[in-house]
Amino acid sequence: MTTSISNPPEDQIRAKALALGFDLCRFTDIDEGWISAKRLAEFVNSGRHGEMAWLAETVERRSNPRAMWPDARSAIVLGMNYGPDHDPLALLARPTKGAISVYAQGDDYHELIKSRLKTLARWLQSQFGGELKVFVDTAPLLEKPLAERAGLGWQGKHTNLVSREFGSWLFLGSILTTLDLNPDPGETTTCGTCHACLDVCPTQAFPAPNQLDARRCISYLTIELKGPIPTEFREALGNRIYGCDDCLAVCPWNKFAAVAAEQKLHARPSLEAPSLAELARLNDAQFRSLFTKSPIKRIGRARFIRNVLYAIGNSGEPTLAVEAEQLLNDASELVRGAAVWALSRLLEPGHFKALREAHRSLEQDQQVLAEWCAYA
Ligand code: SF4
């Protein structure tokens, strides 16, 4: 270490992290083997990761932080509260609006947290030396078990982190370092007999407590899945067009949650309750413009409009059929297929049949043709 100091390094690092806007900063060693490595292997071996091939490809490196970086000695785990100022479930009762997961209603947290982590890392190195690497949800590092080990919270029965101080709403970031830092006590699971998160899941994505089948999870289906969402899940999507907060929002530990202090994590007014009709009309340039600096931009217009169309199909609002009808000739087969499904739900059978006769002979894509035929 390069400086003579009176306070322990951990106290100084924590003070600096809080000054940078983090809400929690705790430390852990990374010596022991992890039960989470076994859980991840089981998750991947059972195919529950779906199309997320990157998870299967990095199982070995995710087994322990040292598997990724053998020189690492300690982890600094940071949390930033993104607690909403509204009930995230309230919008589900307004079917002509699109429900976007709380984490995606503000600016992209990856960029925000990464820049703060880098500032902290530069300061850390100037004060204490050592080598380090920073992580925000993108590298093969199991951040939730690391956070549990450092005492930021515990992995609830829905597998997400629950914090005594902030409930369900914590973004995580980590710094691995070659420094030996004093570990904080870990957190223990405090779910008790509660199973509210398992019961509320609209698609029954939890085969058992602490197990997630991502292939059934609305977050996976609306964000990660590239093709059409399987028909069996479409109705359960309701008006959720990007992610799902149900299991997070019902957790009783949210009674301790606070509204995010960081303004950039607050919902943009345009994304709090966007009109499905207006979203359905976005062209590619408008999509990119609306979602500048938003994590939603990553999935691209076609996947997003697919989700909007499923929500339109679930709206029960016949006046929205015109929005779906205008997308029957869209350049994306993903969009065309979802438009067919939406129309099959909103139009009178005779009207749907007439549209099918008009479009079927022009359609080249087999999946879209299958959609037309499925709802004859
Ligand atoms: S809802 Fe209940 S079971 Fe689920 S994480 Fe919260 S306390 Fe645990």
Side-chain angles (χ1 to χ4, degrees), residues 156-158 162 191 194-197 250-253:
K157 289 178 185 170
H158 51 19
V162 185
C191 287
C194 174
H195 41 77
C197 54
V250 296
C251 181
W253 286 92

Side-chain angles (χ1 to χ4, degrees), residues 231 234 340-341 344 352 356 360 367-376:
T231 316
R234 292 179 190 172
V340 174
W341 185 81
S344 76
F352 181 77
R356 190 185 62 201
R360 203 164 50 171
Q367 269 187 324
V368 183
L369 281 169
E371 294 277 357
W372 276 119
C373 295
Y375 318 112

